[in-house]
Amino acid sequence: MSDQNTCKYHNLEGKRCEEKDMGAGHCFWHDKTIDKTGMDLSERLENYAKSGGMLQGLQLKQANLKDIRLVRRGCTSGYDMRNCDLYRADMENAHLFNINLEGSSLMKTRLNDSKLNCANLHNTNLLGVKLQNARIDNIKVGEYVQQEAIAIQADKDKDRTKAIDYYEQSEEIYRNLRKTAETDGIHVLAGHFAHKELIMRRKQHPQYSQKRVVSKAVDLFCGYGEKPINVILFSLILILFCAVLYFILGIKSDTGIIQLSFNNSFVENLYNFFSSIYFSVVTFTTLGYGDINPVGYSRLVATIEAFIGSFALALFVVVFVQKTTR
């Protein structure tokens, strides 16, 4: 078939589609002017895929693709359906294992009861996608969903109205993914999406507003309850910081004042510093053995550390239990 009679669509690698031109420059699959609303294309698309047809850039808005099976059995990679338009397509109970949908639009696509295990959804429009009872084990969505990347760029361009709109869309997408992961029993993935959902909510507030600052602090402190390691790191940093203050300000033991002194030898100062760390640990954990006591301004530091320590320990228990019982 001559180039004049074939589809003009070229994939991302520059290869041209070899299907017949339907008259508008593109084949049936790549022609966006052909209304495919309600067309039952499941079997036809399966055969097209099996025959080696070009699956990138398919125009399948509102097509009926129920029960479709697009799985390359025995292959390490799935079908390449990058940059496809599947807006409002009905793909209920579809089998799409390991499929590559990077850059495609799944906006309001019906994927209930579908198998999306190991699917590549990088830069995919997932706004309003229906995922009830869908399997999403090991899906790849990348560092950002499509709307989040747009929102970040809008923020850089100082377009807050656009940024807020896309942050709201991103929050909705992450909430939808979180609920699907929870239903599917993938709790680690659900935790990740829950964390991203709350970040999107935070970024809708003005940059230096009280709500955003407090929300950022909670994120750093415990990852919105999803990162117990953050609590441990914060606790270690606080203990070390307070130990340095005790070392400088001084604390009292039965043998005298423990404090940095240039009159002491290096070994003596090192011993005093380790004693300051010990006192910081027992203060943070509110053990209070009584063998060392704060003096002067060290009392203020000890009061603050004990208060934060009791709060941090309680929070760690809550976050740890939440993570381990999911």
Side-chain angles (χ1 to χ4, degrees):
M1 188 180 296
S2 67
D3 289 347
Q4 293 181 343
N5 296 323
T6 58
C7 176
K8 295 179 180 178
Y9 178 80
H10 290 77
N11 66 10
L12 295 174
E13 290 72 38
K15 183 179 178 181
R16 183 168 178 171
C17 176
E18 299 178 354
E19 292 295 302
K20 181 180 179 182
D21 178 6
M22 298 296 290
H26 293 89
C27 67
F28 172 81
W29 299 109
H30 295 106
D31 193 341
K32 63 176 65 177
T33 65
I34 299 176
D35 185 6
K36 302 180 179 72
T37 302
M39 284 190 183
D40 189 352
L41 299 175
S42 297
E43 185 176 353
R44 186 174 172 183
L45 182 56
E46 286 179 18
N47 292 332
Y48 177 66
K50 291 175 182 177
S51 66
M54 184 175 292
L55 296 177
Q56 287 187 31
L58 300 184
Q59 302 296 316
L60 296 169
K61 283 185 177 181
Q62 304 185 67
N64 181 3
L65 299 171
K66 280 187 177 181
D67 303 314
I68 192 167
R69 301 291 188 271
L70 291 175
V71 179
R72 298 179 68 187
R73 300 188 183 281
C75 296
T76 56
S77 60
Y79 282 116
D80 186 353
M81 291 186 67
R82 287 177 288 174
N83 295 337
C84 291
D85 189 351
L86 294 160
Y87 173 75
R88 286 187 180 275
D90 188 350
M91 301 183 73
E92 185 173 357
N93 198 36
H95 284 240
L96 306 171
F97 175 76
N98 212 22
I99 198 164
N100 187 353
L101 287 165
E102 183 176 355
S104 297
S105 174
L106 293 177
M107 186 175 180
K108 298 185 178 180
T109 303
R110 185 180 175 87
L111 281 163
N112 296 338
D113 300 306
S114 294
K115 310 296 186 298
L116 283 162
N117 313 61
C118 303
N120 181 0
L121 302 178
H122 286 200
N123 195 35
T124 302
N125 188 347
L126 298 170
L127 184 63
V129 63
K130 307 297 188 298
L131 291 168
Q132 185 176 357
N133 297 322
R135 299 297 304 274
I136 60 171
D137 310 57
N138 299 312
I139 61 167
K140 308 172 188 69
V141 297
E143 186 176 358
Y144 309 115
V145 295
Q146 186 183 92
Q147 282 76 0
E148 183 181 359
I150 296 172
I152 291 172
Q153 185 58 51
D155 253 343
K156 291 179 180 178
D157 297 336
K158 308 300 182 183
D159 189 346
R160 279 297 294 167
T161 301
K162 181 178 180 181
I164 290 172
D165 180 30
Y166 279 94
Y167 280 132
E168 288 176 348
Q169 293 181 32
S170 301
E171 181 185 355
E172 179 183 335
I173 291 169
Y174 283 123
R175 184 184 303 113
N176 188 21
L177 291 171
R178 170 180 60 80
K179 291 179 178 179
T180 304
E182 288 174 345
T183 302
D184 201 12
I186 314 171
H187 300 302
V188 173
L189 190 61
H192 169 70
F193 290 140
H195 183 237
K196 294 290 290 187
E197 177 188 349
L198 291 171
I199 291 176
M200 296 303 99
R201 187 177 303 172
R202 179 184 80 222
K203 290 188 174 182
Q204 294 169 43
H205 299 303
Q207 187 170 6
Y208 298 109
S209 65
Q210 180 181 354
K211 288 183 177 180
R212 183 158 178 170
V213 170
V214 171
S215 180
K216 180 64 176 180
V218 174
D219 186 13
L220 291 173
F221 190 54
C222 65
Y224 297 115
E226 298 297 335
K227 297 182 178 181
I229 188 65
N230 284 21
V231 184
I232 296 174
L233 292 175
F234 171 82
S235 300
L236 293 175
I237 292 171
L238 180 63
I239 288 171
L240 184 60
F241 176 73
C242 290
V244 172
L245 293 180
Y246 296 137
F247 186 49
I248 295 172
L249 298 173
I251 49 180
K252 184 180 180 181
S253 71
D254 293 338
T255 58
I257 298 297
I258 298 173
Q259 191 175 20
L260 171 66
S261 175
F262 294 107
N263 295 323
N264 293 337
S265 65
F266 173 78
V267 174
E268 288 174 326
N269 277 326
L270 185 62
Y271 177 81
N272 287 343
F273 180 64
F274 283 131
S275 296
S276 297
I277 292 176
Y278 161 76
F279 176 70
S280 184
V281 170
V282 298
T283 301
F284 181 86
T285 56
T286 66
L287 290 174
Y289 289 126
D291 52 342
I292 300 178
N293 299 298
V295 293
Y297 289 110
S298 292
R299 292 179 178 180
L300 176 61
V301 178
T303 301
I304 295 173
E305 183 181 16
F307 175 79
I308 297 176
S310 59
F311 174 77
L313 290 172
L315 181 62
F316 174 75
V317 172
V318 172
V319 175
F320 182 76
V321 170
Q322 175 180 309
K323 292 292 290 183
T324 56
T325 57
R326 273 185 167 177

